[in-house]
Every structure is written in C-alpha cells, then in structure tokens.
Amino acid sequence: MKKTHINFIGNRKIAMTFSGILMVIAIVSLAAKGLQMGIDFTGGTLIEVGYEQTADLTTLRKTLDESGFKNATVQNFGTSKDVLIRLKLEEGVNSADLSTKVLEAINKNAATPAKLRRVEFVGPQVGDDLAEDGFLALLYSTLAILIYISLRFEWKFSVGAIIATFHDVIVTLGVFSVFALEFDLTVLAAILALIGYSLNDTIVVYDRIRENFRNMRKTSTEEMMNIAVNDTLSRTIMISMTVFLVLVSLFFLGGEVIHNFSIALLFGVVFGTYSSIFIASPAALMLGVGPDDLIVPVKEGAELDRMP
C-alpha cells in the first residue's frame, strides 16, 4: 500500500463522538436487557444421543424447534454420528422426563432412531461460578494490560490502551445484548481473544509513536502521532483483513456451534482496528502525553564521558 497522509488525530472529536454514541447504546442495552446467557452460565440439561449414520443437525434443530424446544443447542460430539443437545434450565421439569420427551420428538419421524447415550444436569450454581470466573478473567487481563503497558511505555499510554480495549469489549457485548445473541463460554473466549488482538494493534502504533518522539523532536505531538498511525496503517489493514476473511469463512462454514464465536470476533476485529487508530492514540494525547514522557534525558557529563 502507498504511504497515506490521513489526518486521523485531527478527526479525533468526530471519532470520539461516534464511539461515545455506540458505548451509550451498548451500556443502556446491557443495563436494560442484559445478556442472553447460554446453558454454560444458566444451567440446564445435556443429552447425548447416537445414530448409526451421520446425523442431520439441521433437521434435528428444526424438529426440536417445532416440538417446543426453541432454545435447544445441537452440535456434534466427538464424531458425526454422536450429537449433544443442550437445553436451558426450566423450573419444575425433571431431567429424566425431559430427555424422554426430547428422544420421542427426534425419533418421531426419523428413518433411523437415535439411541440415548447419557443425560447430565448442569445446576445453576455451576453456571454462576462459570460466570463469575469468566468475568474475573476479563478483569484480571485488563489489569495485566495496564501494568504491562505502564512498564513498557508510560502510564498515559496504558490508560489510552485500556480506554480503547474497554471500548471494544463494551461495544461487542452491546451487539450481543441489542440483537439478543446467546452469550456462552465460546463467546467469552472470543472476548478474551479480542482483548489480546486489540492490544497488539495498539502496541504497534505506540511503538512507532515512541520512535517518532525520539527522531522528530521539532514536530508537534499531534503530527507525530498522525505520522505513526499512517505509517502503521498498511500493516493494520492487511492483518485485519486476513483475520476478517478467516472469521467470515468460520461463520459460513464452521457450523452452528461457533456462529456466535465468529460474530463476536468479527465485530471485535472491526472495532479493535478502529479503536487502535481513532481511540488509543487520541486518548493518550488528551491525557497530555508528550516527548518528555518517553525521551530519556541525557545526564550532565554523559556526552563528555563518551568522548575519546
């Protein structure tokens, strides 16, 4: 790609306004509707069935939906002949009775009947523990980012990176809340991966800003940041497009099981790329970062000591 001269930093107010609107929508939706938690967090029943030949998951989902099991999750388990059916927790419903009804529903019009392999009940307490541990993982990873960037760069950069990462996570969670998409452990894993992806892009930009601070001392801070973002733009776009194409393939070809995982990362990559350009550096600039924060001052007599 040719070297660009786009005034990203100069348009930071427009970008901040747009991001602010997105975050307000996301936070309001999360507060009002919350997330549609999957069985991993809410508890429920796991039913494993086996077929003599490859199972048709699309037909199974349609059959269960028509039989009143609208929140059932159907996926292969081990081989294409083994199927795992997940049903959310319902008060007053016995797991044994539920598994019997499910087996009757899927075998009603089936040419080859399925055989029940096992039934497991996931209690709500297990779901609560998973939810707590998952969100603690988000908190700890965010704190680790703050410490890492503070040590590698400067605290104003670390706060900028945290703001950008927080923006990506909240907006992605907002997408799941607004569109009522199921949030399960695979989506939580995607959110954690998103944090690392967004941080990696941000650090690349910060590295170039640090180099510019040391090599372009007569240039203004805003201009140096703009040059850094433009210098790394081709690399950012190429990597983001590569990841994006892989995720699109996973979404369309990976099956029902990883649809929400793919959606989380698709939105995450878009917002992560956007925040690395429009949020991370402008946030550090608004906190007053400048050359003095990164350039190590030369001690008196240091130049004389280096002279032969």
Side-chain angles (χ1 to χ4, degrees):
M1 293 178 63
K2 294 181 180 179
K3 188 172 182 179
T4 58
H5 302 279
I6 304 171
N7 189 14
F8 292 113
I9 308 300
N11 293 317
R12 62 185 178 276
K13 291 183 179 179
I14 298 173
M16 291 289 187
T17 302
F18 174 68
S19 294
I21 293 172
L22 287 180
M23 290 194 68
V24 168
I25 294 172
I27 291 171
V28 168
S29 180
L30 287 167
K33 297 172 58 178
L35 292 168
Q36 185 178 337
M37 294 294 190
I39 188 177
D40 298 323
F41 298 118
T42 61
T45 303
L46 303 178
I47 303 170
E48 183 185 348
V49 297
Y51 286 87
E52 294 180 0
Q53 54 190 6
T54 301
D56 187 344
L57 299 186
T58 303
T59 303
L60 274 176
R61 293 188 185 102
K62 184 179 179 181
T63 301
L64 289 171
D65 188 65
E66 292 173 350
S67 301
F69 304 102
K70 297 187 180 298
N71 295 319
T73 301
V74 181
Q75 65 185 87
N76 284 121
F77 183 75
T79 69
S80 60
K81 298 179 181 180
D82 299 315
V83 177
L84 190 65
I85 301 170
R86 301 178 178 218
L87 297 167
K88 287 188 177 181
L89 182 66
E90 294 182 19
E91 293 184 6
V93 179
N94 183 277
S95 295
D97 295 337
L98 186 62
S99 61
T100 302
K101 291 178 181 178
V102 168
L103 197 63
E104 289 175 354
I106 61 178
N107 286 339
K108 187 176 181 181
N109 297 316
T112 305
K115 294 181 180 179
L116 183 65
R117 297 280 176 80
R118 66 183 172 103
V119 179
E120 291 184 8
F121 175 72
V122 180
Q125 182 59 47
V126 176
D128 290 341
D129 291 341
L130 283 172
E132 182 180 350
D133 292 344
F135 288 106
L136 280 176
L138 283 176
L139 175 62
Y140 294 151
S141 61
T142 303
L143 291 175
I145 291 169
L146 181 64
I147 295 169
Y148 170 74
I149 300 183
S150 295
L151 294 174
R152 180 165 178 178
F153 295 98
E154 203 269 344
W155 73 268
K156 295 171 186 175
F157 279 107
S158 68
V159 174
I162 289 296
I163 291 172
T165 306
F166 181 75
H167 164 274
D168 301 339
V169 171
I170 292 298
V171 174
T172 304
L173 290 176
V175 170
F176 274 76
S177 178
V178 170
F179 295 102
L181 300 173
E182 187 176 273
F183 188 92
D184 55 19
L185 282 177
T186 62
V187 178
L188 179 60
I191 297 294
L192 292 171
L194 163 62
I195 291 175
Y197 178 87
S198 179
L199 175 64
N200 180 66
D201 255 3
T202 300
I203 287 178
V204 169
V205 176
Y206 280 176
D207 266 330
R208 184 55 61 92
I209 290 173
R210 179 168 56 183
E211 291 176 12
N212 288 352
F213 276 161
R214 293 172 178 175
N215 300 327
M216 306 167 65
R217 302 196 179 195
K218 293 183 179 180
T219 309
S220 67
T221 301
E222 181 176 331
E223 188 177 347
M224 278 193 289
M225 285 188 167
N226 222 23
I227 293 171
V229 174
N230 278 278
D231 286 346
T232 56
L233 184 63
S234 60
R235 176 240 177 233
T236 299
I237 291 177
M238 292 297 290
I239 290 179
S240 297
M241 284 302 299
T242 302
V243 176
F244 188 84
L245 291 173
V246 171
L247 293 172
V248 168
S249 299
L250 283 176
F251 177 79
F252 287 107
L253 305 175
E256 184 75 19
V257 179
I258 60 171
H259 267 188
N260 288 347
F261 173 84
S262 305
I263 290 171
L265 280 180
L266 278 170
F267 279 99
V269 166
V270 172
F271 290 125
T273 303
Y274 163 81
S275 69
S276 297
I277 296 171
F278 286 105
I279 304 296
S281 300
L285 180 63
M286 292 169 68
L287 290 169
V289 73
D292 294 339
D293 295 314
L294 292 176
I295 297 175
V296 179
V298 179
K299 296 180 180 179
E300 285 188 30
E303 293 294 329
L304 292 176
D305 292 341
R306 283 198 292 266
M307 293 179 64

